[in-house]
Amino acid sequence: MGQTGKRLFQYAMQYKKTIAIALILLILSICAELVGPFVAKRMIDQNILGIEKTWYEVNEAADYSVAYQGKHYVREDRLEAGADTAQLKAVRVLQVERAYYFIDENISEAAGKRQVLDGMLTITNTAAGESKQYAAQKLNASQLFQFYKPEFPELLQLAGIYMALLVVAALFAYGQRIMLQTSANRIVRKMRNDVYAHTQRLPINYYDNLAAGQVVSRITNDTEAIRELYVGVLANFFTGALYMAAIFTALFILDYRLALFSLPLIPILIVWIIVYRKYAASYNRVIRAKLSEINAMINESIQGMPIIQAFRRQRKMTAEFEEINEQYFKHQNKMLNLNSITSHNLVNVVRNVLFLVVIWVFWGSSLSTVLTVGILYAYIDYMNRMFAPIVGIVNQLSNLETARVSAERVFKLMDEDGIEVATGSLPRYKGEVKFEKVYFAYKDDEYVLKNINLHARQGETVALVGHTGSGKSSIMNLLFRFYDSPNGVISVDGRDIRDIPKQLLRQHMGIVLQDPFLFTGTIASNISLDNPAITHEMVVKALKDVGAYEMFNQLPGGIDAPVLEKGSTFSAGQRQLISFARALAYNPAILILDEATASIDTETEAIIQSALEVLKQGRTTFVIAHRLSTIRAADQILVLDRGAIVERGNHEQLMELQGKYYAMYQLQLGAAVQTA
């Protein structure tokens, strides 16, 4: 996964202690679980199939001895140490189909096809081309029980050990899963916090080219896919890798030939993963991109629903959504087909073919003499245990690719140049603002501001007027450093604003936009923005200063009345008053009113204009306005046309000039008269 994988690993290493403990628990769980087949092998070969070993007749009853027809017999592996078997009579107990037979003589070679007819046991060795016959006595249930009875204590003991191992393995597995998933959740929590924090540091121009829904998708959907990487994918890959390593170790201990025969599974799995990732990567990139577009379109549709319904664009919007959704659906189906082809069904086919080949090669040859039923049982048990994590790995391949693509998208966002949040504070400046030979373009060589020169002294009110697109808001964007101009100098109190951290520069600036934004909360919290430095008394004072306190205090809950998303339950004028009080509560040295009275009725505008006469003292105020009647008292009026200041002066001076300002004023005055 290259650089992306390295960064994901770095996030994981922040919780390496918990992950290390989880892996230790996983290893202990695997060890406890993989001892089980060895215990089962001993139970089968020693305690169950051990009945076919050679038995010796002894003179008297002893430990592990069996009484049969008045005589006592002990199995060869249960004889006392040092016993001379050459002096003892040997007998055998052999299974033929579902019955057991007692042979009152030793059989040196019991391998071959067995058949009993008229009390005679025939053993045919197909490979040697010979057969032998022995007198055989069929054992009834009680007699057979006597031969098995000495093994019951050990069988029960081994069964208890087997169950205890399963319980211990389950406890360790539970512990490692809890710790690993807890670590994964912490990793993704940290990543999501980092991504969100970085979105707060990104410059405003980044969001000019990226829909809000796409950013939301990266913070939510993509980080959730990465969480699945740590919770599901890596857990399965770690578990699978450790299981496979442990099982192959156990297989070499069990029988090296079976282990060597199974080794090709590893390169097959590696090739499998490489081929899958080759096709899945391209599909997932489209899927994640389309999912972001769907989120963006839904977000945009919800915000613009009044316009969509007012202009009857429902069908058009639905058609556009269905087109994006159809592309998402097609690529989802491609991933579904790929997953179906490479799913656990194919793993099961590989496993079953392997079992058939092993039985054919080993059990059907002379090697069957050294490969006992217990060994084959343990081998099949181990292979079933190994294929379970292989299935887990294969099933997580789609999540792996989804997480990888999602991580690329998240890290791409985090790699965008951001602005580090400055600490500390800046002394409140006087508010003297200068623009000197400032040029600015949002796109290369497409200048929206040309040779801007202005000087706003402390306490002055400067109005910016002009047609739409003349550059009024761009001047304020530069002053706030939402954008930086490479040409010219903008200074506050004689200091170049590029030398001041953006957060500290804005500390003593306030802005009121034409379309104010309100957050979910209360009226008071929207004014203070939960800044502990803004007290309840300061909020009340700000509302009183703009003449809105009585208006909001009459609402249920007063100024603690709830505000829904974007302040949808308030009128445009009420939202603007809250925004205006917010700016004043922060007591800015520089106040910007960007079309602040455009959506306010005449009565509310009169309230604000009255408040401004008091509040602008000692504060530099920039006013962007279309209604020229609201800026007649401004100390300076700057008339912009196509990004350049073409006229400047106060109202009387500009009226005497009879230029663009005069024409605009007369036009608005005439329109007002006609309306009246």
Side-chain angles (χ1 to χ4, degrees):
M1 293 171 66
Q3 188 65 24
T4 300
K6 182 179 179 181
R7 295 177 70 171
L8 289 171
F9 179 77
Q10 289 172 347
Y11 266 99
M13 285 300 96
Q14 296 182 44
Y15 303 94
K16 56 187 176 183
K17 183 177 179 180
T18 308
I19 294 175
I21 294 173
L23 293 179
I24 291 172
L25 291 175
L26 176 60
I27 293 171
L28 293 175
S29 172
I30 292 173
C31 291
E33 191 173 336
L34 296 187
V35 171
F38 278 99
V39 175
K41 170 187 172 297
R42 178 175 175 84
M43 293 170 69
I44 293 171
D45 287 344
Q46 181 72 11
N47 304 110
I48 298 175
L49 297 182
I51 194 173
E52 291 201 351
K53 293 183 179 182
T54 303
W55 294 77
Y56 290 96
E57 183 180 336
V58 294
N59 296 326
E60 56 185 12
D63 292 338
Y64 297 102
S65 65
V66 176
Y68 177 71
Q69 294 183 344
K71 297 180 181 180
H72 297 278
Y73 301 93
V74 177
R75 211 170 68 189
E76 59 180 338
D77 55 325
R78 302 298 191 187
L79 286 171
E80 293 181 0
D84 186 5
T85 57
Q87 303 298 321
L88 301 175
K89 181 183 177 181
V91 299
R92 298 291 294 273
V93 176
L94 299 180
Q95 180 182 7
V96 181
E97 295 181 350
R98 299 181 65 182
Y100 285 83
Y101 294 86
F102 180 85
I103 295 88
D104 196 20
E105 60 181 293
N106 191 18
I107 299 175
S108 58
E109 180 56 62
K113 183 180 179 181
R114 301 173 183 177
Q115 187 176 12
V116 175
L117 185 63
D118 298 330
M120 295 299 296
L121 169 64
T122 303
I123 299 177
T124 303
N125 191 326
T126 306
E130 60 181 15
S131 62
K132 294 182 180 180
Q133 289 188 327
Y134 306 93
Q137 303 172 26
K138 186 177 181 179
L139 299 175
N140 58 36
S142 62
Q143 291 170 335
L144 180 61
F145 177 78
Q146 291 301 319
F147 279 95
Y148 271 117
K149 187 176 181 180
E151 302 301 319
F152 283 170
E154 187 171 325
L155 268 174
L156 293 174
Q157 183 182 11
L158 291 174
I161 293 173
Y162 192 91
M163 290 299 296
L165 288 171
L166 290 179
V167 172
V168 170
L171 291 174
F172 283 138
Y174 172 79
Q176 71 86 16
R177 183 174 292 273
I178 288 294
M179 299 197 74
L180 201 59
Q181 294 201 1
T182 301
S183 299
N185 288 333
R186 288 174 178 170
I187 291 168
V188 174
R189 179 187 64 183
K190 177 70 166 61
M191 182 179 294
R192 191 170 284 157
N193 286 339
D194 289 348
V195 177
Y196 182 79
H198 191 69
T199 62
Q200 305 300 302
R201 293 191 291 267
L202 290 174
I204 298 297
N205 60 345
Y206 177 80
Y207 298 101
D208 292 342
N209 304 312
L210 193 65
Q214 291 178 309
V215 178
V216 171
S217 181
R218 296 191 186 187
I219 298 175
T220 56
N221 296 338
D222 287 335
T223 53
E224 186 62 23
I226 296 172
R227 189 189 75 84
E228 187 59 32
L229 168 71
Y230 289 110
V231 172
V233 178
L234 293 187
N236 276 280
F237 272 71
F238 273 131
T239 303
L242 289 174
Y243 257 105
M244 291 174 69
I247 288 172
F248 271 111
T249 301
L251 285 177
F252 275 104
I253 296 173
L254 184 69
D255 189 285
Y256 74 92
R257 292 163 299 180
L258 290 174
L260 291 174
F261 193 81
S262 305
L263 273 178
L265 281 175
I266 296 177
I268 289 174
L269 182 61
I270 293 172
V271 171
W272 196 332
I273 293 173
I274 292 173
V275 172
Y276 178 90
R277 289 186 60 190
K278 178 181 178 182
Y279 291 97
S282 59
Y283 296 159
N284 270 307
R285 283 194 179 91
V286 177
I287 288 171
R288 304 312 293 182
K290 292 303 174 185
L291 183 60
S292 289
E293 290 180 24
I294 288 173
N295 285 333
M297 189 169 184
I298 292 172
N299 183 66
E300 188 177 57
S301 298
I302 292 172
Q303 292 191 19
M305 192 59 68
I307 301 299
I308 293 172
Q309 294 187 4
F311 287 90
R312 297 172 295 169
R313 304 300 292 167
Q314 294 97 320
R315 290 186 178 180
K316 176 65 175 176
M317 295 298 293
T318 301
E320 291 179 6
F321 181 84
E322 287 177 351
E323 182 180 352
I324 299 174
N325 198 29
E326 181 66 21
Q327 295 176 10
Y328 179 77
F329 170 77
K330 287 180 179 179
H331 283 84
Q332 282 279 45
N333 273 349
K334 290 180 180 180
M335 276 299 302
L336 180 63
N337 291 331
L338 180 63
N339 291 334
S340 298
I341 294 172
T342 59
S343 69
H344 63 277
N345 293 325
L346 186 56
V347 176
N348 290 334
V349 170
V350 173
R351 179 186 60 185
N352 293 335
V353 169
L354 178 65
F355 287 164
L356 287 173
V357 172
V358 166
I359 293 172
W360 178 67
V361 170
F362 290 92
W363 193 248
S365 68
S366 59
L367 292 174
S368 63
T369 57
V370 292
L371 289 182
T372 65
V373 174
I375 290 177
L376 281 179
Y377 171 84
Y379 173 74
I380 292 174
D381 192 351
Y382 278 132
M383 294 309 294
N384 281 330
R385 291 170 187 263
M386 184 164 70
F387 271 96
I390 289 177
V391 169
I393 290 173
V394 171
N395 288 345
Q396 289 295 332
L397 288 177
S398 60
N399 290 333
L400 171 64
E401 285 307 306
T402 300
R404 188 175 69 85
V405 173
S406 296
E408 288 178 357
R409 289 159 50 82
V410 169
F411 290 138
K412 181 180 179 182
L413 186 149
M414 294 179 70
D415 288 338
E416 294 288 337
D417 291 334
I419 307 161
E420 290 302 320
V421 178
T423 57
S425 61
L426 192 71
R428 191 176 189 274
Y429 35 73
K430 297 176 181 178
E432 184 172 340
V433 178
K434 281 187 179 180
F435 280 64
E436 300 175 85
K437 299 180 180 179
V438 174
Y439 290 78
F440 177 67
Y442 291 103
K443 296 181 180 179
D444 295 339
D445 299 326
E446 296 181 15
Y447 287 100
V448 295
L449 294 178
K450 306 167 187 174
N451 195 28
I452 298 298
N453 293 276
L454 69 87
H455 183 194
R457 296 171 180 82
Q458 178 184 359
E460 281 191 344
T461 298
V462 179
L464 304 175
V465 299
H467 59 78
T468 301
S470 60
K472 304 184 299 296
S473 295
S474 296
I475 290 177
M476 296 301 96
N477 286 338
L478 293 181
L479 179 59
F480 258 87
R481 288 196 68 191
F482 291 147
Y483 302 87
D484 280 327
S485 171
N487 302 313
V489 176
I490 304 172
S491 61
V492 173
D493 292 350
R495 184 178 177 185
D496 193 328
I497 63 173
R498 286 172 294 192
D499 298 333
I500 305 173
K502 293 183 179 182
Q503 287 81 11
L504 299 187
L505 172 69
R506 299 165 188 161
Q507 181 180 357
H508 301 298
M509 289 185 179
I511 188 169
V512 179
L513 300 173
Q514 179 180 357
D515 185 17
F517 190 92
L518 299 186
F519 297 91
T520 302
T522 65
I523 295 173
S525 69
N526 266 280
I527 295 172
S528 67
L529 296 180
D530 295 322
N531 184 345
I534 307 297
T535 64
H536 185 270
E537 290 72 21
M538 294 171 67
V539 171
V540 171
K541 184 178 185 303
L543 284 170
K544 287 182 177 179
D545 287 341
V546 300
Y549 179 73
E550 294 299 329
M551 177 192 303
F552 290 119
N553 200 40
Q554 293 174 1
L555 297 174
I559 64 173
D560 293 318
V563 176
L564 302 181
E565 185 178 7
K566 297 175 66 178
S568 56
T569 57
F570 292 98
S571 68
Q574 288 174 320
R575 292 197 299 270
Q576 195 65 279
L577 285 168
I578 293 173
S579 178
F580 199 79
R582 174 195 298 165
L584 295 179
Y586 278 76
N587 189 28
I590 299 174
L591 179 63
I592 292 94
L593 306 176
D594 189 352
E595 306 285 359
T597 59
S599 57
I600 295 179
D601 57 81
T602 306
E603 182 180 351
T604 305
E605 180 185 341
I607 295 174
I608 292 178
Q609 291 294 338
S610 176
L612 277 175
E613 293 301 318
V614 178
L615 296 169
K616 71 180 183 180
Q617 298 300 322
R619 178 179 292 115
T620 305
T621 306
F622 288 88
V623 181
I624 299 174
H626 279 302
R627 278 194 261 177
L628 303 185
S629 59
T630 64
I631 58 162
R632 290 186 56 174
D635 298 296
Q636 290 187 60
I637 299 175
L638 306 179
V639 182
L640 287 97
D641 183 39
R642 298 179 183 179
I645 298 176
V646 294
E647 294 177 8
R648 68 179 71 213
N650 58 33
H651 175 74
E652 289 74 16
Q653 291 170 337
L654 293 177
M655 291 298 289
E656 290 178 7
L657 188 63
Q658 295 191 356
K660 283 186 174 293
Y661 179 83
Y662 177 83
M664 292 167 61
Y665 191 83
Q666 291 298 327
L667 183 63
Q668 287 191 14
L669 185 63
V673 171
Q674 290 181 8
T675 303

